């Protein structure tokens, strides 16, 4: 990879260069100017009390350095890690909570602006929660589901509801090591409590609570968010769309939706296509209204509505710098405050909508799910009215790539056998036979401290060449989308022979888009289903599967990495380790966690070494499961994969109509 480029995405790089010529600062320039403090970056700085901050550095710091209170370096590094997990869990937990409140408002008839789009999914979740649904009004079931899920936040004893979805053996490990989460808020509170001055000083004990909080995210807040979002807005199935900073249209009003929660974004998509709004846009000289997504909001409306995406985290300022964006509406998470400063150089209006995420200088319009359409209309009108103010300045790019997005757990199950024989059997069989060497999640943020999106691209490409099925979420999926990697053609052009055959037979791309950051939980339910199917590991741990967050930057990513590690997945994060100062903490998060949970959390800045470590984990898991040794192009016997035509034939015979 070229070290001098700022973004590995060509369109983004063009805009960054244009910005440099026009003296418009971006995160890339700020990342160059703002070098990380090496003490804080490696987890050796403690600032939890006002006797400090204490810097635990120097010769033999691991054993000899002490803060004013006597805290050691491993204690301090572990505390820093646990606080990151708590923050990430709080962030995704709150996202899930907001989604449940919307579901409750719908169930109580308090809003007419949202409906339950996927009743089937509501029933599926009601079944998991032991809520009776047969013969009951949909809204009554929804109310019970929402109420039961809200209990997960405030529960003091017992366990989070979705824990029981994990394989029995995985649950037993959690029980044995005391990390089964009780309530989402409780685990966050205890993590914060234990990490204050004078509390838990044992790094292993601290990190154990970190894992419990992380599981409260993965099998709690994030999973709640995924499931409730599907209930409200539909369970995703593959849909075609476009990706790139080139999605903006010269002759239309461009409105960008950015952030995480889909409620307002979905309403904006609905309202913007109504004749009244189109006529209004035309009255202002525009041909129509073009909605584009950014970051995880983009994932939500991309996979359910086919809305084009302008990319991930590092593209947010660049979208404004095209000069074509009339308004950027944001809600929560991963919104750079810098967009307001950038917008001042153009005509773009930045509109914040959450009480939890305001930015000085932005226009604030509070979102309220009870009057979502009214608010969406107001926002769209601001964008339309601003069309006349568009100036000539900006770096227009035109390249675009097609993407196929929206592989939910339910669809992956369906695509392997149809509605009546849905299963994970063919995937397990393909792995057992060595056609697919393993499954790797390449997920998480893109980062201006490396050529942004470059490590995602490198790993996704190398892995599929090695017959590894890649699944992707969050900004990782955006990185793949804007590179043109989310298409079935990728299999023909680049995948290894076994993976290519499987992709061709089922008609899927070798890089599967699973959704937003919260949708990493889809990977948990898929892994649980694979364990239940048999033939591989009977728990999540021990599968030929690895998670990678090659360019992570957010505390949410840390919480996600830790819930995968605790669930039994070896995880590799790019960049320098935030606990790299302590050998003991590093050992606990790798060796000790692997021994206890079959998962681990590594940090590795070198992309080649990430690849090597990933394939090593996969091959060792294959050997431990006594699967056929992976050899490119040489496969063992397996069941015949049904193609789409064969599947439809079976379904036609069973029932005249199919659907998810
Ligand atoms: Fe320093 Fe201890 Fe206070 Fe941390 S808790 S800042 S190590 S005195
Ligand atoms: S938005 S947490 S930059 S993936 Fe989910 Fe992207 Fe990372 Fe935010």
């Amino acid at each position: 990879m070229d070290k001098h480029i700022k973004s590995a995405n060509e369109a983004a790089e063009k805009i960054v260069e244009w910005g440099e010529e026009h003296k418009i600062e971006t995160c890339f320039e700020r990342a160059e100017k703002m070098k990380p403090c090496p003490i804080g970056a490696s987890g050796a700085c403690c600032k939890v009390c006002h006797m400090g901050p204490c810097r635990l550095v120097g010769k033999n710091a691991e054993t000899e350095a002490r803060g004013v209170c006597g805290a050691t370096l491993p204690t301090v590094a572990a505390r820093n890690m646990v606080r990151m997990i708590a923050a990430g869990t709080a962030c995704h937990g709150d996202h899930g909570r907001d989604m449940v409140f919307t579901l409750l408002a719908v169930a109580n008839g308090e809003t007419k602006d949202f409906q339950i789009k996927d009743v089937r999914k509501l029933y599926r979740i009601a079944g998991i929660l032991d809520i009776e649904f047969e013969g009951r009004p949909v809204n009554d079931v929804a109310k019970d589901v929402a109420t039961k899920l809200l209990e997960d936040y405030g529960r003091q004893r017992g366990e989070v509801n979705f824990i029981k979805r994990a394989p029995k053996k995985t649950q037993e490990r959690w029980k044995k090591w005391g990390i089964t989460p009780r309530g989402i808020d409780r685990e966050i509170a205890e993590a914060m409590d234990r990490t204050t001055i004078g509390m838990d000083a044992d790094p292993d004990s601290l990190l154990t609570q970190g894992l419990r909080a992380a599981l409260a995210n993965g099998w709690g807040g994030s999973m709640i968010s995924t499931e409730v979002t599907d209930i409200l807005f539909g369970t995703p199935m593959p849909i075609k769309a476009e990706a790139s900073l080139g999605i903006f249209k010269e002759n239309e009003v461009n409105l960008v939706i950015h952030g995480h929660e889909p409620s307002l974004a979905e309403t904006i998509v609905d309202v913007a296509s109504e004749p009244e709004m189109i006529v209004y846009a035309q009255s202002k000289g525009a041909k129509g209204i073009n909605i584009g997504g950014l970051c995880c909001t983009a994932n939500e409306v991309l996979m359910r509505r086919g809305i084009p995406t302008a990319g991930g985290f590092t593209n947010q300022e660049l979208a404004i710098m095209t000069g074509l964006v009339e308004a950027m509406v944001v809600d929560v998470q991963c919104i750079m405050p810098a967009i307001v400063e950038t917008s001042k150089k153009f005509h773009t209006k930045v509109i914040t909508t959450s009480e939890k995420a305001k930015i000085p200088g932005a226009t604030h319009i509070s979102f309220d799910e009870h009057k979502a359409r009214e608010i969406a209309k107001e926002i769209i009108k601001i964008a339309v009215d601003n069309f006349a103010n568009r100036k000539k300045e900006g770096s227009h790019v035109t390249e675009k790539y097609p993407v196929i997005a929206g592989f939910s757990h339910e669809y992956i199950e369906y695509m392997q056998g149809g509605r009546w024989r849905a299963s994970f059997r063919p995937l397990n069989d393909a792995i057992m036979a060595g056609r697919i060497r393993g499954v790797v999640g390449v997920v998480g943020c893109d980062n201006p401290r490396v050529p942004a999106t470059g490590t995602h691209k490198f790993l996704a490409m190398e892995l599929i060449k090695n017959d590894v099925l890649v699944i992707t979420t969050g900004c990782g999926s955006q990185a793949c989308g804007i590179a043109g990697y989310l298409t079935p053609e990728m299999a023909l052009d680049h995948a290894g022979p076994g993976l290519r055959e499987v992709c061709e037979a089922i008609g899927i791309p070798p890089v599967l888009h699973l959704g937003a950051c919260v949708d990493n939980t889809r990977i948990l339910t898929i892994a649980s289903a694979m364990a239940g199917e048999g033939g591989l590991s009977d728990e999540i741990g021990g599968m030929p599967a690895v998670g990678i967050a090659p360019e992570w930057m957010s505390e949410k990513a840390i919480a996600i990495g830790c819930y995968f590690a605790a669930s039994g997945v070896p995880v590799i994060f790019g960049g320098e380790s935030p606990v790299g100062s302590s050998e003991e903490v590093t050992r606990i998060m790798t060796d000790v966690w692997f021994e206890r949970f079959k998962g681990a959390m590594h940090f590795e800045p070198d992309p080649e070494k990430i690849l090597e470590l990933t394939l090593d984990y996969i091959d060792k898991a294959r050997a431990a499961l006594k699967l056929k040794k992976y050899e490119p192009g040489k496969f063992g016997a397996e069941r015949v994969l049904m193609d789409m035509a064969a599947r439809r034939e079976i379904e036609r015979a069973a029932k005249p109509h199919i659907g998810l």
Side-chain angles (χ1 to χ4, degrees), residues 314-329:
T314 56
N315 274 9
Q316 53 190 292
E317 294 162 289
L318 310 184
I320 295 173
M321 287 160 63
T322 62
L324 295 171
V325 174
E326 273 59 55
M328 182 176 281
V329 54

Side-chain angles (χ1 to χ4, degrees), residues 206-365:
L206 278 161
L207 290 163
T208 299
Q209 175 56 25
L211 289 185
R212 185 149 57 166
L215 288 178
N217 178 2
W219 298 84
S222 283
M223 194 173 279
I224 288 173
S225 176
T226 296
E227 305 299 25
V228 173
T229 305
D230 284 357
I231 290 170
L232 283 168
F233 302 115
T235 302
M237 51 180 129
I239 189 166
K240 221 174 164 180
E242 286 179 326
S244 162
L245 281 159
I247 58 164
F248 302 119
K249 296 185 180 162
E250 306 252 356
N251 54 3
E252 293 194 18
V253 173
N254 293 302
L255 172 54
V256 174
I257 42 185
H258 170 26
H260 270 73
E261 291 176 15
S263 308
L264 175 62
E266 281 272 345
T267 319
I268 287 179
V269 171
D270 282 339
V271 175
S273 60
E274 287 175 0
E276 181 201 335
M277 296 314 293
I278 294 169
V279 168
Y280 186 65
Q282 286 165 346
S283 76
K284 301 286 175 180
K287 233 179 140 196
I289 302 167
N290 180 38
I291 310 285
L294 262 172
C295 276
C296 278
T297 300
N299 283 314
E300 300 279 4
V301 288
L302 166 70
M303 66 184 169
R304 293 194 182 86
R305 309 297 293 270
I307 297 299
T309 171
F313 181 68
T314 56
N315 274 9
Q316 53 190 292
E317 294 162 289
L318 310 184
I320 295 173
M321 287 160 63
T322 62
L324 295 171
V325 174
E326 273 59 55
M328 182 176 281
V329 54
V330 302
D331 59 0
V332 290
Q333 301 179 28
C334 301
I335 300 145
M336 290 189 197
I339 54 174
V340 170
E341 222 28 60
T342 314
S343 73
K344 288 181 188 159
K345 314 251 172 16
F346 300 86
H347 73 304
T348 310
K349 292 209 183 303
V350 174
I351 304 166
T352 54
T353 58
S354 170
E355 294 301 314
K356 288 182 264 185
K358 292 184 173 177
I359 309 175
T363 305
H364 185 77
I365 301 174

Side-chain angles (χ1 to χ4, degrees), residues 361-421:
T363 305
H364 185 77
I365 301 174
S366 247
F367 176 66
D368 176 352
E369 66 263 28
H370 300 90
K371 41 182 187 165
R373 283 179 60 82
E374 195 186 312
I375 293 163
K377 236 182 216 178
E378 187 185 346
I379 288 170
I380 296 167
K381 279 197 170 160
I382 291 175
V384 172
D385 291 342
N386 200 22
F387 182 68
N389 298 326
R390 196 188 282 176
K391 299 169 199 150
K392 286 243 169 333
E393 291 85 19
S395 172
H396 302 189
V397 288
T398 49
E399 305 88 344
K400 284 187 283 197
Y401 292 102
V403 296
I404 308 282
F407 289 86
S408 55
H409 170 123
E410 289 80 354
Y411 188 82
I412 294 176
E413 210 170 26
Y414 161 77
M415 80 192 185
Q416 297 180 83
R419 181 162 163 185
W420 309 107
R421 293 167 46 146

